[in-house]
Amino acid sequence: MREDGVYAAMVRRGMTRRTFLRFSAAMAAALSLPAAYGPRIAKALEAAPRVPVIWIRGQACGGNTEALLRAANPTAANLLLEVLSLDYHEELLAVAGADAASPLAGLASRYPNGYYAVLEGSFPTGAAGAYCLIGGRPAVDVAREVATGALLTLAVGSCAVDGGAPAAPGGITEAGGIGKVLTGGNFIALPGCPANPSNLAAVIVHQLVAKETMPTDLAHRPLAFYGNLIHNQCERRPHFEFGEFALEWGDQGAQRGWCLYKLGCKGPETMANCPDVRYGEKISWNVSSGVGCIGCHSPSFWGAMGPAYRRLPSPLPFLPNLTTDLVGGAMVAGIGGVAVAHGVGMTIRFKRYKAQDRRAKAKAAAEAASATETPPTAEPEAAAGTETAAAGTGER
Amino acid sequence: MVRTVIDPVTRAGSGLRVELDVAGGAISEAWVSGTMFRGLEATLKGRDARDAWLLADRICGTCSGVHALASVRAVEASLGVTIPANARLIRNLLGGTLMVRDHVLGFYQTEGPNWVDLKAAAGADANATAQLAKLQSDRAGSTPEAFKAVRDRLAVVTADGAPGAMGRGWWGHPAYRLSPEQNLLLAAHHFEALDWQRNLMRIHALMGGKDPHPQTYLVGGMAVAAPWGGPKGQTGRDHPKVPDRNAPDALSTEGLLLVEGILAATRSFIDQVYLPDVRVLAKVYGDWAAIGAGIGAYLSGGEFPVDTGEGAARFLPAGRLQAGRLLSPQPVDAKAIGETTVHAWYANPNGDAALDGPATGGATPVWPANLSLPLTTLEGAAKYTWIKAPRYDGLPMETGALARVLVATADGRQEIAASLGALLTDLGLTMEHLPGVLGRTLARAVEADVVSHQAATWLADLRTNLAAGDLAIADVTWWDPSSWKAETDGYSLGEGPRGTVGHWVGIRDGLITSYQVVDGSTWNASPRDDSGGRGPIEAALVGVALADPARPLEALRVIHSFAPCGGCASHVFRPTESTR
Ligand code: SF4
């Protein structure tokens, strides 16, 4: 047993061997591993040192820090006192000012055995980075520096992954996430608005226990969390199959717990494990509480997945009424195909959205270049935002 | 005179910087700077007015739900929609639990390290601490063993050079005055509060579907539906979900029972731990009642409507108190609110000194050419923040729990007056002691006390309604945008845990064309205005003595007493087509 390790810390706080094993079993469950992995996790934790973590916030609402505080397995108190050595986090540090920021200078010499970086929020590149400063330095520079030297960089929440809300259509700060502002590195992306507390805790413990990065998809998202469509795990799916839909908020269908597809649920196009891990220690998730998915785990969702209450468009443009008609009847055989087609539709739509966004930005840049007086915000950007939004609506 | 820079101001959301001039051991001048700007209002433009609230809520993930509520209310006001009673009660429950959570966690997590020396706690006697805890309440779990475990852990994480969030505190600073045992007591409760809040916020996961950022808000009511046939109508609800007693439907009998249980657990922590801890702190640091009063004028937008319909009275009333006249509340008129960008990084076509109304202003963000990055000091910079300066009739206003409690007391609200009276009597203080650093902490305690009681009443009312067969949760008769007026505007004024929240919205042909937010932190962390009048936090900092200017702990006490949130504070307005 390592004296400075995680297990030692837990014992010092009065954790018994039995509680520790139970904790390990819970972790196995959180990582979707069979129960037999519990003892192995316990063994790995006994030897694991506390991990130094540098947590950098850019343009953040703080929701992902809140998600950390809601983690149950392990709890926030466990994480803060035992598992992590959170050397920098603006919301949680006991000191302030230069004394708080001291670890950011000389990372390599301070952490000879390495450290982990967590990024929360988006990082603006407009106005030379002045839209977001940390200790007077552009947050985007700080993020780059910290991520470059890290053993692993965890981008938590959609803003850190792809720019999120500040980078939504109409955004004026040229904000981006890891894909835009960082070049290379070892990443894990946990998109979601915010990331689910269970996934956040599980990623941290997995890293401690397995000492290797979770298997991810091409977008750096752990397959264990983002490998399955919400629609395929949803408890209301049988109602979808039988054509039983809520048609208005609070109507009979809503009260009976019917499918929310026609009220705009984006579950058929969103890959996430919300129906499984849920929120509030598995107490509920959006659909259980009566509201559709808004696709917040999907790429650039503020632009690509909205409007929130509009029914997903038909995935196959040459069959515009496909979903309504097929789904409306109880043609169970054809439905699997619809779900697959929605996956395809999602990809097509995301590509189309990206192309629009690029065109709008190019146009804005051209107009900005031609304008004589240029405040960094620029009217043309706003016009571009409107165009993107309008194009997005027209498509539906 | 020495310039001291605090950046980052930790535990205050993202992007807060404070610069102080220190002369003769005291702060002679102060500047509060917001260094994070997102421009979320700009991204709202062109969105469907019915789902704008989803993005608006992303202003803050700590006070999650506050901006969702402000946004749906503004759209409801512009469309003339009245929500059903059940929706009002659920909104009150979500907003109320959030407020209680924010106040309690703010005490331990945000303010705690300013008053509690965690390193000194590591030298405490565990038996004596358990005795102290017994004096507070006969709560189970306050054993010497439990305190010893926390103490031993603190010894490790606060050791000199220890890594981690608690390793580099300004421990041993002469301004720390609690005994080792008092330090350990509050430190142990800090960690308990982390678990406590997680349980409390399960109410948001249940009724909001998600936490943070609950998703069941809806223009017209709430989206969380009552079970078919009423709360007991489980058999009628042919929902094929695997039965899970831990995850019932929010408005079923089981769901409401679960909420009741969580509220009761919340209450007992408040009664047995939080309120006694506030008293321990207040008795030792009583002199802080006279420090950091600031401008002494207060604004409350009012919160927790007691009835449906526009202009319904609120449980915590709206009102305004002018400096020096704390007993005569004035009405609040949203039209008297204006914002100036004279010291903020914006360009206003109407002139930077103009006090533009939130619905009509047209400032755009401009980083000044004469400030180079990295920023070392703001000394000499006329413009020094991304936060604009909201003013009421041209004057700065303090908002937050203290403002609400003072307004409610002046308004004669019994619940608040009773809780406040008991606390003040116990501490040997009077109303005159409230404006100041300690008063803000006491006001949060009073509010957490009163609102957590009131939450039980809202839950009981909800139960009664549902049991009586009133299952209405949303009015969506207006849902189709083609039935709306082509041009409509609206606003909402209310209260989040940290202050007055106003949203102003313009809707043209169903889409958002203008959006403006003035948050509680915008008021409190605002810069100077055209007349040179400081913002509330700036004013409160001036004159505060610093025992060790290299470690300005006393300044943090003043700043955190406002519970500021840097991210929430800075906002930009995008002009509508018609005003351009
Ligand atoms: S559309 Fe939404 S509510 Fe319906 S089954 Fe799919 S995920 Fe569930």
Side-chain angles (χ1 to χ4, degrees):
Chain A
M1 185 175 105
R2 274 179 73 120
E3 272 314 303
D4 58 343
V6 173
Y7 180 59
M10 290 185 173
V11 169
R12 256 190 301 253
R13 256 193 97 209
M15 193 183 239
T16 61
R17 180 79 197 160
R18 210 154 120 225
T19 330
F20 179 69
L21 290 177
R22 218 183 301 138
F23 166 81
S24 304
M27 267 341 293
L31 295 166
S32 308
L33 294 171
Y37 276 79
R40 270 200 240 174
I41 292 183
K43 202 148 175 253
L45 279 177
E46 277 176 33
R50 285 205 297 151
V51 183
V53 173
I54 304 287
W55 184 305
I56 300 293
R57 301 215 291 190
Q59 292 166 302
C61 73
N64 291 287
T65 298
E66 289 297 321
L68 180 79
L69 295 181
R70 305 288 200 280
N73 283 309
T75 65
N78 288 146
L79 282 170
L80 293 177
L81 275 174
E82 287 126 17
V83 179
L84 305 177
S85 158
L86 204 55
D87 279 7
Y88 187 82
H89 188 307
E90 282 168 31
E91 197 58 33
L92 302 173
L93 281 189
V95 272
D99 288 348
S102 59
L104 299 181
L107 287 163
S109 56
R110 196 180 175 101
Y111 305 104
N113 297 323
Y115 62 90
Y116 292 93
V118 180
L119 303 182
E120 175 181 9
S122 54
F123 295 91
T125 56
Y131 289 122
C132 184
L133 304 174
I134 295 172
R137 294 181 63 203
V140 60
D141 295 349
V142 176
R144 268 191 204 123
E145 211 171 275
V146 169
T148 306
L151 294 171
L152 174 75
T153 297
L154 182 62
V156 41
S158 292
C159 291
V161 173
D162 59 33
I172 52 182
T173 63
E174 294 170 50
I178 48 170
K180 177 174 171 176
V181 304
L182 301 183
T183 44
N186 191 9
F187 298 127
I188 289 188
L190 283 186
C193 191
N196 190 299
S198 314
N199 294 347
L200 181 54
V203 153
I204 294 170
V205 173
H206 181 278
Q207 195 66 34
L208 273 176
V209 169
K211 303 216 174 45
E212 62 176 27
T213 309
M214 288 183 117
T216 59
D217 61 14
L218 290 175
H220 309 289
R221 307 184 300 180
L223 287 165
F225 311 150
Y226 300 87
N228 211 337
L229 271 183
I230 285 191
H231 190 54
N232 289 350
Q233 309 158 70
C234 178
E235 71 230 21
R236 297 194 181 191
R237 179 64 180 268
H239 294 300
F240 175 90
E241 310 287 359
F242 286 97
E244 293 172 335
F245 299 103
L247 299 174
E248 239 180 32
W249 297 107
D251 72 356
Q252 188 189 130
Q255 294 185 345
R256 285 184 181 275
W258 286 353
C259 171
L260 298 160
Y261 183 75
K262 293 191 174 178
L263 288 174
C265 180
K266 305 296 185 281
E269 295 195 351
T270 303
M271 311 279 279
N273 60 350
C274 306
D276 178 27
V277 293
R278 294 179 263 176
Y279 292 87
E281 289 158 73
K282 290 209 166 200
I283 203 173
S284 191
W285 69 293
N286 314 14
V287 169
S288 280
S289 292
V291 64
C293 163
I294 60 167
C296 75
H297 289 61
S298 300
S300 302
F301 81 98
W302 289 112
M305 300 302 279
Y309 302 122
R310 187 156 319 166
R311 182 172 66 77
L312 280 167
S314 163
L316 301 175
F318 50 89
L319 280 177
N321 289 323
L322 176 80
T323 49
T324 345
D325 293 352
L326 269 189
V327 169
M331 299 177 67
V332 179
I335 301 301
V338 174
V340 173
H342 257 308
V344 178
M346 164 176 65
T347 316
I348 296 172
R349 198 164 18 262
F350 177 64
K351 289 217 168 106
R352 214 185 294 158
Y353 162 75
K354 276 295 182 203
Q356 279 163 9
D357 199 40
R358 261 199 308 278
R359 275 199 299 280
K361 290 227 168 83
K363 186 165 160 251
E367 282 180 35
S370 65
T372 38
E373 276 191 336
T374 30
T377 79
E379 300 292 309
E381 280 271 22
T386 326
E387 188 201 76
T388 315
T393 354
E395 179 193 319
R396 279 130 217 267
Chain B
M1 203 159 60
V2 186
R3 177 65 67 121
T4 299
V5 178
I6 312 178
D7 186 1
V9 173
T10 45
R11 294 172 267 129
S14 292
L16 200 64
R17 172 187 179 103
V18 170
E19 297 205 4
L20 308 169
D21 271 347
V22 181
I27 298 169
S28 59
E29 202 39 275
W31 295 264
V32 173
S33 171
T35 59
M36 194 269 272
F37 170 80
R38 284 174 292 174
L40 289 187
E41 286 96 331
T43 64
L44 280 162
K45 201 172 163 183
R47 295 191 89 86
D48 188 322
R50 292 167 300 180
D51 69 23
W53 67 268
L54 278 162
L55 209 150
D57 198 49
R58 269 62 188 181
I59 290 169
C60 194
T62 303
C63 291
S64 87
V66 165
H67 291 279
L69 177 59
S71 182
V72 294
R73 275 183 183 158
V75 176
E76 281 158 4
S78 68
L79 300 176
V81 178
T82 303
I83 65 167
N86 291 331
R88 172 182 64 84
L89 292 165
I90 295 173
R91 288 179 181 186
N92 284 357
L93 273 168
L94 291 178
T97 46
L98 180 89
M99 182 177 277
V100 171
R101 183 259 177 201
D102 199 58
H103 287 353
V104 175
L105 207 68
F107 177 76
Y108 291 105
Q109 171 75 35
T110 309
E111 293 198 275
N114 299 338
W115 307 103
V116 179
D117 184 337
L118 295 182
K119 190 164 186 169
D125 180 307
N127 285 318
T129 310
Q131 298 273 310
L132 199 64
K134 283 271 170 297
L135 290 178
Q136 285 192 340
S137 65
D138 50 7
R139 186 160 173 270
S142 298
T143 60
E145 293 72 38
F147 287 114
K148 185 175 176 303
V150 176
R151 184 194 67 190
D152 293 351
R153 190 64 199 143
L154 283 172
V156 174
V157 296
T158 61
D160 285 334
M166 285 153 255
R168 303 187 306 279
W170 290 333
W171 314 131
H173 190 288
Y176 285 118
R177 292 208 303 261
L178 295 176
S179 73
E181 286 70 30
Q182 289 169 328
N183 280 317
L184 179 57
L185 185 74
L186 267 69
H189 292 162
H190 174 178
F191 300 122
E192 280 190 48
L194 288 174
D195 285 340
W196 168 87
Q197 59 93 30
R198 190 182 72 238
N199 186 37
L200 172 57
M201 294 308 275
R202 295 176 78 213
I203 294 178
H204 280 225
L206 183 64
M207 293 187 153
K210 188 171 167 190
D211 167 51
H213 295 312
Q215 206 158 298
T216 55
Y217 283 95
L218 185 77
V219 177
M222 293 296 289
V224 51
W228 177 245
K232 293 208 194 87
Q234 289 302 287
T235 47
R237 185 161 183 174
D238 44 348
H239 193 292
K241 186 161 74 172
V242 184
D244 179 347
R245 273 192 301 127
N246 233 352
D249 294 315
L251 302 185
S252 64
T253 306
E254 292 83 355
L256 297 171
L257 255 177
L258 198 69
V259 173
E260 185 183 325
I262 296 175
L263 286 177
T266 302
R267 261 317 306 180
S268 78
F269 185 83
I270 289 176
D271 285 335
Q272 301 191 336
V273 181
Y274 168 62
L275 293 175
D277 282 352
V278 169
R279 286 196 199 101
V280 166
L281 196 93
K283 281 180 183 154
V284 175
Y285 291 109
D287 50 331
W288 279 84
I291 299 173
I295 53 172
Y298 302 92
L299 176 71
S300 164
E303 195 46 87
F304 309 124
V306 298
D307 207 345
T308 41
E310 224 181 310
R314 304 208 169 170
F315 178 68
L316 298 173
R320 183 168 54 89
L321 299 171
Q322 288 163 312
R325 303 186 52 203
L326 297 190
L327 294 177
S328 39
Q330 312 283 316
V332 176
D333 176 6
K335 285 195 216 59
I337 297 172
E339 291 188 295
T340 163
T341 59
V342 68
H343 291 291
W345 294 317
Y346 300 87
N348 185 348
N350 303 333
D352 276 343
L355 270 170
D356 284 339
T360 57
T364 47
V366 180
W367 176 254
N370 63 349
L371 277 182
S372 57
L373 292 172
L375 194 63
T376 47
T377 176
L378 292 164
E379 208 166 342
K383 289 178 176 262
Y384 60 89
T385 176
W386 284 121
I387 303 171
K388 294 195 264 181
R391 295 293 185 259
Y392 190 101
D393 276 343
L395 294 172
M397 290 283 174
E398 174 175 339
T399 79
L402 176 59
R404 290 190 293 265
V405 164
L406 288 173
V407 168
T409 311
D411 201 65
R413 297 302 166 105
Q414 279 317 307
E415 298 91 340
I416 293 279
S419 172
L420 179 66
L423 186 61
L424 290 178
T425 312
D426 191 34
L427 297 171
L429 300 174
T430 65
M431 287 288 289
E432 282 76 65
H433 293 104
L434 282 177
V437 169
L438 187 62
R440 295 188 188 99
T441 301
L442 298 181
R444 280 187 283 271
V446 167
E447 233 177 26
D449 179 27
V450 172
V451 172
S452 61
H453 267 300
Q454 189 61 23
T457 311
W458 292 324
L459 180 65
D461 290 352
L462 179 63
R463 240 190 205 142
T464 313
N465 281 357
L466 293 171
D470 172 10
L471 304 185
I473 196 79
D475 171 11
V476 286
T477 49
W478 54 273
W479 189 254
D480 181 1
S482 67
S483 68
W484 306 355
K485 275 185 282 184
E487 293 196 6
T488 176
D489 300 296
Y491 76 93
S492 69
L493 264 190
E495 288 286 318
R498 297 160 182 220
T500 306
V501 177
H503 282 215
W504 281 259
V505 59
I507 303 171
R508 304 288 177 268
D509 300 321
L511 301 179
I512 302 283
T513 50
S514 67
Y515 209 98
Q516 175 70 314
V517 174
V518 182
D519 181 80
S521 297
T522 322
W523 287 96
N524 290 338
S526 68
R528 288 153 171 70
D529 52 40
D530 191 38
S531 71
R534 301 178 190 100
I537 298 180
E538 292 176 337
L541 281 164
V542 172
V544 172
L546 300 177
D548 176 4
R551 296 185 295 166
L553 184 65
E554 299 89 338
L556 287 187
R557 289 178 178 173
V558 176
I559 298 165
H560 285 142
S561 73
F562 286 87
C565 181
C568 294
S570 51
H571 298 284
V572 65
F573 175 79
R574 301 296 298 172
T576 60
E577 311 308 321
S578 53
T579 57
R580 201 174 268 170

